[in-house]
Amino acid sequence: MAKIAYILLCHKDPKAIIAQAERLTATGDYIAIHFDSSARAEDFRAIQAALGDNPNVVFARRRISCGWGEWSLVQASLYAVEAAEAKFHDATHFYMLSGDCMPIKSSVYIHDFLDRNDKDFVEGHDFFSSDWIKTGMKEDRLHYRHFFNERGQKWLFYQSLEWQRRLGLSREVPKDIRVRIGSQWWCLRRRTVEALLDFVRERPDIKKFFKTTWIPDETFFQTLVWHLIPEPQIECRTLTFLLFTDYGMPVNFYDDQYEMLMAQDSLFARKISPEATKLKGKLGALYSDDEAQFAISNEGPRMHAFLTGRGRIGRRYAQRFWEAESSLGRSRELLIVTCKKWHVAKRLLHQIAPQMNLPMVEYLFDEEDTAMPDLGGVESTLAKRTRHRRALVRMLMDHYDTDRLLICLDPKNLDLIQDFYSDRCTTRLLEIECNFTDEYLMGHARRVGLIAPKTPDESIDRLMPTIRYDVVYESERLKEADFPNAYRIREWVSPEENTNALAAFLTLPQDTARKIASADHIYAD
């Protein structure tokens, strides 16, 4: 059975560190602690006093001051790894943690997972060809020597870099290694750690090179593991669940995210907010719960992107320059039916079809498999259709030899509707307003990937008000746009009340429009 030596780098909150160490060692595992030498001395003394008699705890043989982006973080990790490797001879795995990490699975689950997966878990993307680095310097991290900390010594950091550039003091990466990059939160098998420590002792040139690179905690272990271990024995991911904001800062997790964290395909999570006392209590109890069951849905990143992206998507629209001269034609008329319930809009089209000679295309910008004629490839993907929206509609009109076409759009496509309204053609809009049950909204969330079949009910309950609000918000945006020739029919009103809107939208006689509005089962789910 797996025996884990946790490698804990920390610099604050001695009570949380003590609780973390006691929790992890209570089930028979080990922990090696490096406490930053620049932190308060009394905090370290408190940790030593609480854990000094615990045989499953070891402290790094030397404490150093650590700075973000510096070699010191790697060196501190090596000191802790060396201490754990020397003392805990039966440790099978070494798992890197910070003081902000907490388990999101039970001890039984974690050990069973490692027993079933005889691999090293460490990211290792190619440094030069991958896009893992989103912002800031890239090649200069390696090709120049960094002696100063960019955060605390900004002027010296960039001045040193500029001097090296001017003097031509760039350097090459050691020729026999391929630099890799990834998350610093890894889990390695014992034989991998032993091979890595031996390699560091045998190759001082490698250590010397990384000592003056920038942010080596994202490259040192990653590069060496992938250099020493056959690729089939490595899984290129971290077992610690973490998210980042648009600005590259770690996302903090709070009390209301317990079920979401449990559902991730990870063993630990970072960062748990210091204020999330209830969450910490639940996760602490979860770790020792041998009967806990986990339904892995892994929807955390999508849910986070959805919730943080609201308010930024679809709020602005500007015409693309390559479409400026594209037009459907002044003499043509485009009719748009928009409804969140796609089946309702399709049923309405089926009622309209026998009453008038009007070509109709269902959700052509929303549904990949919408029935469409061959238009030379522009219709082949949703991306192409949307990119060439006016050209597509013009070609459809030409194909059907008509000056009038009816299409369906999801209400989220406000930019498309605005674009068609800005054309020289006549555009008419019919919005179908429906009632939305929780069951329907849940199905919608599954279809768009916000929730998975195994997402816990508690997570769904918290997400439902936001999904409902987004549906309402899409309708409100259409109203606020105040489009001309815009009409609405509503599920909750009588067919008589909907007849006038249908007659005006389709330019049909009242009797014909009433027949369409009175059709049975249009709104049934």
Side-chain angles (χ1 to χ4, degrees), residues 4-10 20 24 30-32 34 66 72-81 93-102 121-122 183-188 193 217 221-222 238-241 267-270:
I4 308 166
Y6 291 102
I7 310 301
L8 181 63
L9 298 191
C10 46
Q20 179 84 301
L24 297 177
Y30 308 113
I31 191 165
H34 179 278
C66 297
S72 54
L73 284 173
V74 177
Q75 186 61 70
S77 304
L78 286 171
Y79 284 146
V81 168
H93 294 78
F94 295 73
Y95 196 122
M96 187 76 179
L97 293 175
S98 77
D100 298 315
C101 296
M102 284 202 70
F121 291 86
V122 56
S183 168
Q184 61 269 52
W185 311 111
W186 39 256
C187 177
L188 305 177
V193 166
D217 54 316
F221 289 99
Q222 297 79 353
T238 174
L239 295 178
T240 298
F241 178 66
L267 306 183
F268 282 74
R270 182 181 188 272

Side-chain angles (χ1 to χ4, degrees), residues 272-285:
I272 308 301
S273 169
E275 290 80 28
T277 53
K278 291 182 180 178
L279 177 59
K280 289 182 177 181
K282 287 183 177 181
L283 292 177

Side-chain angles (χ1 to χ4, degrees), residues 72 311 316 392 406 459 501:
S72 54
R316 299 178 61 190
L392 176 71
L406 189 153
S459 297

Side-chain angles (χ1 to χ4, degrees), residues 43 72 88 177 370 475:
D43 287 348
S72 54
F88 306 129
I177 66 168
T370 297
S475 180

